[in-house]
Amino acid sequence: MTALPDPDYQAEFYASVPTKRLIAWIIDSILIFALSAGAVVLTAFTGLLIWPLLYLAVGFAYRTVTIANGSATWGMRFAGIELRDGEGRRMDSGMAALHTAGYTLSLALPVLQVISVILMLTSSRGQGLTDHFLGTVMLNRRV
């Protein structure tokens, strides 16, 4: 991770990132709920029969597509943060899908989500569990 900003000497890249991640998560959750609710209406309400699967699929697609197209979801963009790989590059579609898969797995197993939140709050770069495995990091967006 030598291509990434050093958290000791360039702390401005990591300032308030855990709080901004929470804000982004709330916004993204609202958007995913709205998209899923729209899908229910478009399916003449039969989507309600598979609501958890529908919500999961819509969320996976939303996160993967938005991260692949700008290295951030709409919530992350609003909060002023973006994902970068270990070399400091923007996320491509493969890394976006892997990151989303790791996030989804963490949501499926609450103990992993708790570990991820603890890591975000205590690690020098504010990385969650998926970030640690993939070598990705959330940074304040460069202006």
Side-chain angles (χ1 to χ4, degrees), residues 33-47:
F33 181 85
L35 291 169
S36 298
V40 166
V41 172
L42 291 174
T43 62
F45 296 92
T46 57

Side-chain angles (χ1 to χ4, degrees), residues 1-83:
M1 295 182 103
T2 56
L4 295 171
D6 185 285
D8 294 324
Y9 298 107
Q10 296 172 302
E12 65 275 8
F13 283 101
Y14 303 98
S16 301
V17 167
T19 303
K20 291 177 179 182
R21 283 181 96 143
L22 176 62
I23 293 166
W25 181 82
I26 291 168
I27 291 168
D28 289 332
S29 295
I30 292 168
L31 289 171
I32 292 166
F33 181 85
L35 291 169
S36 298
V40 166
V41 172
L42 291 174
T43 62
F45 296 92
T46 57
L48 284 174
L49 299 172
I50 56 165
W51 174 257
L53 183 61
L54 178 67
Y55 188 85
L56 184 71
V58 169
F60 193 92
Y62 165 82
R63 288 182 183 284
T64 300
V65 169
T66 55
I67 291 172
N69 287 323
S71 213
T73 63
W74 292 340
M76 292 174 195
R77 292 172 197 177
F78 176 82
I81 53 178
E82 63 186 0
L83 277 165

Side-chain angles (χ1 to χ4, degrees), residues 118-128 132:
I118 290 170
L119 287 171
M120 284 181 214
L121 295 173
T122 60
S123 64
S124 61
R125 287 190 161 96
Q127 295 169 291
H132 278 282

